[in-house]
Amino acid sequence: QVQLVESGGGLVQPGGSLNLSCAAAGFTFDDYTMGWFRQAPGKEREFVAAISWSGVNIHYSDSVMGRFTISRDNTKLKVFLQMNSLTPEDTGVYYCGACATYKRSWIVTASFYDYWGQGTQVTVSS
């Protein structure tokens, strides 16, 4: 069956870094755009970054541009999110998802994603 499993979350001090991973199984990974979203307590799931099947096209939210880097390895069926210069506002549960298209309006909207992982907690605090 389809599985997306995130890992790499944890507690980090402001200014620190984390590298999240998402391992995929059960679907044709390189047919899908992969995205990262996050959800803080009491807030809606928000778009963070997305990468097209080939890795050529990448899009970031304004809030993480220049600090986060999304990448993928289609041979290992994984997508990554390198997060640098973390702030308390980056705290939340981070989810990876798979979307069947790279249409800009779709990849930033959670409801257009077909598959989701269970999430990994990221806490930025001193």
Side-chain angles (χ1 to χ4, degrees):
Q1 74 274 22
V2 171
Q3 279 192 317
L4 290 171
V5 180
E6 300 94 337
S7 60
L11 173 63
V12 63
Q13 291 188 341
S17 298
L18 283 174
N19 190 19
L20 305 185
S21 297
C22 173
F27 65 101
T28 307
F29 183 72
D30 55 8
D31 276 352
Y32 283 80
T33 293
M34 296 301 296
W36 286 96
F37 284 68
R38 66 188 180 191
Q39 189 165 18
K43 294 188 176 181
E44 292 188 355
R45 194 170 295 193
E46 73 168 331
F47 171 77
V48 173
I51 184 168
S52 62
W53 69 271
S54 65
V56 170
N57 296 301
I58 289 175
H59 181 57
Y60 298 99
S61 69
D62 289 344
S63 61
V64 308
M65 177 78 74
R67 299 188 298 122
F68 291 11
T69 302
I70 188 171
S71 61
R72 65 189 294 163
D73 185 336
N74 288 347
T75 65
K76 297 182 178 178
L77 308 186
K78 287 188 174 182
V79 61
F80 307 96
L81 187 68
Q82 176 66 43
M83 305 187 296
N84 299 327
S85 303
L86 286 162
T87 74
E89 287 70 37
D90 295 314
T91 294
V93 179
Y94 281 69
Y95 299 90
C96 72
C99 181
T101 183
Y102 191 77
K103 289 182 180 179
R104 181 64 63 85
S105 60
W106 287 33
I107 63 170
V108 301
T109 306
S111 60
F112 286 114
Y113 281 70
D114 296 318
Y115 310 123
W116 289 101
Q118 83 291 346
T120 185
Q121 176 70 46
V122 171
T123 303
V124 185
S125 175
S126 55

